Every structure is written in C-alpha cells, then in structure tokens.
Amino acid sequence: MSENLIVPTMAEMLAQGKQPEVLFWVGCAGSFDDRAKKITKAFVRILNRANVSFAVLGTEESCTGDPAKRAGNEFLFQMQAMMNIEVLNAYEAKKIVTACPHCFNTLKNEYPELGGHYEVVHHTAFLKSLLDAGRLTIEGGQFKGKRITFHDPCYLGRANKIYEAPRDLIQKLEVELVEMKRSKANGLCCGAGGAQMFKDAEPGNKEVNVLRTEDALEVQPDIIAAGCPFCNTMMTDGVKNKEKEASVKVMDIAELIANAQDL
Amino acid sequence: MSYLDNILFAILLVIGFGYFFNNIQKIYRNIHLGIDVDRKDNPSARWKNMAKIALGQSKMVRRPVAGILHIIVYLGFVIINIELLEIIIDGLFGTHRIFAFLGTTYNVLIASFEILAVLVILAVVIFWIRRNGIRLKRFWNPEMKGYPKKDANYILYFEVVLMSLFLLMNASDLHLQNVPNGFSHFIKAGWFPVSQFIEPLFNGMPNQTVLILTETFWWLHITGILVFMNYLYFSKHLHILLAFPNTYFADLNPLGQLDNLEAVTKEVKMMMDPNVDPFAAAPAPADVPSKFGASDVQDLNWVQLLNAYTCTECGRCTSSCPANQTGKKLSPRKIMMDTRDRLEEVGKNIDANKGIFVPDNKTLLNDYITAEELWACTSCNACVEECPVNISPLSIIMDMRRYLVMEQSAAPQPLNAMMTNIENNGAPWQYNQQDRLNWKNEN
C-alpha cells in the first residue's frame, strides 16, 4: 500500500454513529475494471483532499441492475434494485455520488418507483459543487494549454441533460476545450450503452467506438476527456485501433483534476 | 335549379368529411388496441411541449434548411386554410367572397395567402430536389423503397397542384373583377400581389369562358383539398394532425428513465418477502399479465401506437443512430414504419372479421422486426432526441427486448453470461462480491 486512501465504509460509519455527507457509489466497473479503478482512486483522492465526509458500501454494494434492465431482464433488474434499496435505506442514505453515468441514471431515475428516494449526483456535478463552494481549487498544472475534447456520455448528457458541469471543470484546468462536430445533445454514443458492453456488436461495417474516436481525433486533441468508465474503455480501444495511443490520452475528468493537483 | 351547385357542394363536403371521420375513427380504434398507459399527468408541461414542439416547430430547426422550408409549408398550410372557411361558406350559400366586407383586412389576408402560396411552391420544389436530385442519404435507406418513397413525392406534387389552383382561381377572379362596369357578382375585393401577373393569361378570352374557368379552378381546389385530407389516412402525412396529440402525450420523464414494469414488481416483492407462504395459492390470473414485454402491436401501449401513426418517415432518427451509421441493420425509422404496417394489418384483420382479431400466425417480432435489429441498439436516445415530434423508437425496442429475454430466454449468449454474473456475484463480470473493495489497497 503505497498511498493512503481514506475510504470508510457505511458499516464503519454506522458503528461510530456517524452519517457521511455523501455515499460514494463505486459501481461494478469502478470496483473491478483495472482502468476504471484508477478513476475511482482519483476521485477518492480529491474527496480526501477536499475533506469530504463520504463512505462506500464496499462488499455490501451490488450491481444497480442497469445492464440487466437494458438487456430486457426486468426481473433481474428489480431484484437487484430492491436488494440495493434495502441496504441503502437501512443506512438511511440521503445523497449518493457516483462516477458512472449508468449507475447515476438508474439510481436517480429508476429506483424511486421501487422505493429508493435519494439525491443522486454524478461525480462531475459533485466536483463542480465543491468548486463552487470553495472546498476545492482546480489549477491547470501539467495540463495547462493542452487541447482537450469532452465526449458526452449518453446517460449523463441526453439522458439527464448534464452538459455543463464536466465542461466547467475542464475549463478550470486552463486548457483549450475543443468541441467535436457532434457534442452535447447531438453527441454520438461510444457504443457501450444498452448492455452492448457485454456482447459482440451486430454485423456492420465499423465499430461504434471507432466512429466516435474518429470524431474526437478530427479535432486533434491531446486528451479525450470522459465522464464514464465505459466510454473511457471504448474510447481507449478506439484510440488504440487508430494507433494514436502515443499522442492521445483518454482520461476521466476526476483523473484530470487529481493529476493536475498532483494528488 | 340555381341551388344545384350548392346541393352538389354540400354532398361533396359530406362525403369528404364523412370518409375522413370514418378513417379517423379507425385510427382511434387501432391506437386503442394498445395497452393503457397514463399520460394525463402534468397537463401544463404537456401543453407547453405541444406548443413548443408541434406548434412552434422547435425541433424542426435543429436542421436549419429542412427546418425553415418546413416552417414555410406549415405556415402556408395553416394560414391558407383560413381561406377554406370562406370557400365552404361561399359554396354552401352561393355567396362570393363572403368575407370581402372586412375591407383592408381582407385584402391583406388574400395578399398574404398569395405570397405564402408562392413560398410553399418554392419550398416544395427544393424539397423535391433534395429528395430526388441531391438524394440525401436518409431518403434512400432500404426501408424507403416502394410506397414510402412514392408517398413522399405524391405529397409534394399535391401541394404544387393545390397552390397553383389557388393562384389560378385568384387570377381569373381578378380578371373578372376588372371587367369594365362589372361582371356578374365579381366585386372588387382582395389584393393579388402574385396572381396579378398570371391574370394577363386570360386576356382575350370571352368573359363566359373565364367564368367557367374560375369556377372550375374553385371546384378543383376545394375537391383537391378534400381528396388531400382523405389521402392523409394512407400517408405519412398524417403527422400534420397527429403531431399535436403525439407531442402532448409524449413521455415527460428524463430520456434515460425506462418505464417500470409493475407486474414484475409484484412478483419480485413476493419472491423477496420472507413472510410469504410458499404454499399459498398462485396469484389470481387477473394480476399476471399474459406476456412480459411485447411481441406484437397489441402488447405495446397506445402512445407507442400513436407514435407509429405520427411518424413522418423523415429519417432523422436513423441518420443519427450510431448502430445505423456503422452499417448495422437497426433503423429506428424502420421500427416505427414496421409498427404502423403491422398495426394496419391487424386493423384490417379486425375489420374483415366483424370486430374480432383472428390470429394470422404473424407478429411484429420476426415477421417485421428481427432480433438482430433489436440487439444492435445502444439505448443512447439519439433517435428520441432527434425526432421532431417526440416519438420514441427506443421504448418499442426495449419492450421487444423484454419479450425476447423474459418470455423466450433468447438473449445473445454473452448477455446471458452477464446476467448470470449479476445474479450470482452482483456484478456483470465474474468477480466475487467480497472483492469489491480490493481496489482500496491495490496500487
């Protein structure tokens, strides 16, 4: 253990009779995927630096059921949802933050009808609120002057109309934010949504993530910023497919901020 | 005998509107073959949506060229139809330009109709060139063969004919207004900024001939309008009516929120309730839906069926669909067209069998829409965002996926593996739930 991440669990908090300001919903990708784990840690470093009182569910967290629902398995989705709601309600969770737009969308929009009512925020919106409240400062650091383009995750953008928070954060890094020809409401999917992440694509003449990477490379960025672990994987694969990994990096906004602050 | 015209006109109107309302009733019945869904909440937001999107054309102008041309044709259609009121009154009561007493207001109205008529003709010509000359890709997709392709052009030709008849009618009318010492009942009324240039066409013709021509144009114009109105039923052009209810009843929830299946909730709650008696009698059949998800049009809800009738086949959904852009079989427009075609087929079956649907061994799934199309969807909502009249092809795709998975267990194998993992490990991958916090101590 080379770094000191402070990651309390809800169970530990409860044992101490404490309620954190926010519950960090890590998500399956954030917990298990090697690339996404880096995003999780970057976000935790920022939370630690900003002295945010937070806790994770740890081993008590389970898949939100999003991919099951989008694959058409409403039974499995609702079983997952009800189990998670039971745990969340037992801890009297009020506010949830997550770095995964799929978890965000499901927890925010699809859990209420099953009895789970929480204030759910995406990590970019949460970081923006920390910034606005003066609890977090963002400087350019190593990214000063770099060209960055932001790929809108469908489940953050079109699905929930969050377009500005991630862009506001990127601009704080003193970089040149360049927009792809399709962005915001007109953004193009990375190809992973709707449970596509877990299956092969149907026959066609191109992969969606390659098409989207072409959109991004067209504006000649140094960095493609993402706000979703799945988009991150898809865009990273796309950049590799185009053999551009030496010159173009794909990074989550939490990583950009954590790295800029040398956290 | 002088009333013959008026009686003929009344008969024409009754036939025209009668057939129209008969077909509207059929559409109403077909839409209500769908299951019920409550879309009556929050009327203020719904009216606002309708005003903004259907009346205000806010989503049309996302593509500015088509948007502006469409607004011209739309305004032309709505405003010129004010003229229809005068035509109907004149026709029924044998009057001539009954609203002429409005004076300057009338003159301005007629003048603006004329200008709009010309603009409409211009817009329609550009539309025709885009469709048939430039051949915009979205108008040449595989699903746009045969009738859908012809339908689009018929509408354009129709509009040129109707607008031309309107201008010719005015021009010949103006000619008779200008006969020295007056001619018959042709009073001086209206300003004719456009048809004054057509009017010389009638110079040298006997007044009686021009009179017959005027009346011919008038009759052709009103008959044309009635025929056009009745053509709507068979055409994608039905959107000029249904865009309004369709935007009103559209889903108000965030696009990412898929609907909750309450029938499933009941069963899951029962499954998870530790106090439930495992030997209790099965729930009453009325509580259990006959089917989870949708395999045919009757399993869809009425808003989805209204969507299908409203679809204009403009293809904006398909041109923005990531699956379609990468050469996959999915086309959201085709999903809507297939749904409408199947619904029409079911409707005809019911008509032919005295109000009862006789199974025809066909379903929307498989006979129209294949599983391959359904599985190509990334649920990114680009099609829903794009649709100028708030149709959701995604909701139909999702309901059909639900049928494939919950009724037929026919998900692609990797998805079955993903679902098994969620069930057993609480994650779509094969990791142990107990390892969920391992990242904390890893480098």
Side-chain angles (χ1 to χ4, degrees), chain A residues 8-256:
Chain A
T9 62
M10 289 300 281
E12 289 161 8
M13 281 267 175
L14 185 70
Q16 295 165 23
K18 284 193 224 158
Q19 176 71 259
E21 175 188 340
V22 62
L23 187 155
F24 172 29
W25 185 276
V26 183
C28 301
S31 303
F32 294 122
D33 180 84
D34 284 336
R35 179 68 189 85
K37 280 193 272 193
K38 292 185 181 152
I39 303 169
T40 306
K41 288 203 247 184
F43 182 59
V44 166
R45 280 187 217 117
I46 303 171
L47 294 178
N48 284 169
R49 166 61 66 93
N51 284 320
V52 175
S53 140
F54 77 96
V56 298
L57 283 173
T59 56
E60 290 183 278
E61 189 185 284
S62 185
C63 174
T64 58
D66 159 82
K69 185 168 179 104
R70 265 120 200 111
N73 195 335
E74 185 75 6
F75 274 99
L76 180 54
F77 163 72
Q78 292 202 12
M79 284 200 289
Q80 288 298 121
M82 284 189 205
M83 284 191 299
N84 285 323
I85 289 168
E86 219 165 273
V87 174
L88 288 167
N89 287 354
Y91 285 118
E92 294 177 14
K94 300 270 183 310
K95 187 169 178 175
I96 300 175
V97 64
T98 176
C100 174
H102 296 271
C103 297
F104 165 70
N105 176 70
T106 302
L107 292 167
K108 175 175 172 283
N109 297 321
E110 288 165 356
Y111 275 33
E113 275 185 81
L114 298 167
H117 301 272
Y118 321 103
E119 183 195 347
V120 189
V121 282
H122 185 246
H123 73 315
T124 56
F126 188 70
L127 291 175
K128 177 74 169 56
S129 71
L130 292 180
L131 186 74
D132 290 343
R135 296 169 69 183
L136 175 72
T137 47
I138 299 177
E139 281 156 14
Q142 54 173 289
F143 301 114
K144 216 171 197 170
K146 292 254 194 287
R147 271 172 85 84
I148 298 187
T149 188
F150 178 64
H151 160 75
D152 286 281
C154 304
Y155 275 83
L156 187 66
R158 266 195 299 272
N160 290 290
K161 293 199 162 61
I162 296 175
Y163 302 113
E164 294 313 320
R167 287 178 169 77
D168 289 348
L169 292 170
I170 292 171
Q171 262 157 348
K172 282 280 164 197
L173 293 165
E174 300 161 68
V175 300
E176 191 188 347
L177 175 64
V178 281
E179 293 290 350
M180 294 180 227
K181 65 177 183 210
R182 314 181 237 214
S183 65
K184 300 186 181 173
N186 294 321
L188 183 78
C189 178
C190 70
Q196 297 292 340
M197 184 76 191
F198 307 101
K199 62 183 260 301
D200 302 319
E202 274 56 38
N205 47 38
K206 195 182 263 184
E207 298 297 334
V208 176
N209 66 325
V210 173
L211 180 64
R212 185 50 169 168
T213 306
E214 287 168 358
D215 278 3
L217 294 180
E218 220 168 81
V219 297
Q220 299 181 313
D222 300 307
I223 295 163
I224 300 168
C228 168
F230 297 103
C231 294
N232 197 310
T233 302
M234 298 306 269
M235 298 304 281
T236 305
D237 288 350
V239 170
K240 272 186 201 142
N241 180 283
K242 294 278 164 189
E243 296 178 352
K244 289 276 183 196
E245 63 265 46
S247 55
V248 182
K249 300 248 169 311
V250 182
M251 294 178 85
D252 190 89
I253 289 177
E255 294 178 300
L256 289 171

Side-chain angles (χ1 to χ4, degrees), chain B residues 310-371:
Chain B
T310 309
C311 176
T312 318
E313 301 166 15
C314 71
R316 291 184 180 202
C317 51
T318 293
S319 74
S320 67
C321 171
N324 193 274
Q325 284 177 50
T326 50
K328 294 163 184 78
K329 276 213 180 106
L330 174 62
S331 162
R333 166 171 59 189
K334 179 177 170 293
I335 300 285
M336 301 317 300
M337 290 168 71
D338 287 341
T339 305
R340 176 173 173 164
D341 288 349
R342 173 61 183 158
L343 183 55
E344 279 288 286
E345 188 178 55
V346 169
K348 279 183 192 138
N349 179 315
I350 292 173
D351 289 336
N353 295 299
K354 301 190 182 81
I356 298 159
F357 177 70
V358 175
D360 56 359
N361 290 322
K362 278 165 111 178
T363 52
L364 179 61
L365 181 68
N366 298 330
D367 292 302
Y368 288 82
I369 299 171
T370 61

Side-chain angles (χ1 to χ4, degrees), chain B residues 250-304:
Chain B
D251 194 354
L252 295 176
N253 292 323
L255 294 188
Q257 179 181 344
L258 299 183
D259 63 334
N260 185 55
L261 283 193
E262 271 170 49
V264 173
T265 310
K266 270 186 214 156
E267 295 207 6
V268 171
K269 275 195 175 144
M270 217 149 42
M271 250 159 27
M272 292 178 61
D273 183 359
N275 301 320
V276 82
D277 174 8
F279 302 108
D287 288 352
V288 184
S290 53
K291 211 188 259 182
F292 291 111
S295 63
D296 210 344
V297 285
Q298 296 97 322
D299 311 322
L300 295 170
N301 68 48
W302 65 267
V303 175
Q304 291 168 320

Side-chain angles (χ1 to χ4, degrees), chain B residues 9 109-110 126 146 218 252 257 285 351 362 380 385 429:
Chain B
F9 182 77
L109 271 176
I110 296 291
I126 300 172
W218 187 94
L252 295 176
Q257 179 181 344
D351 289 336
K362 278 165 111 178
C380 75
E385 180 78 38
W429 299 286

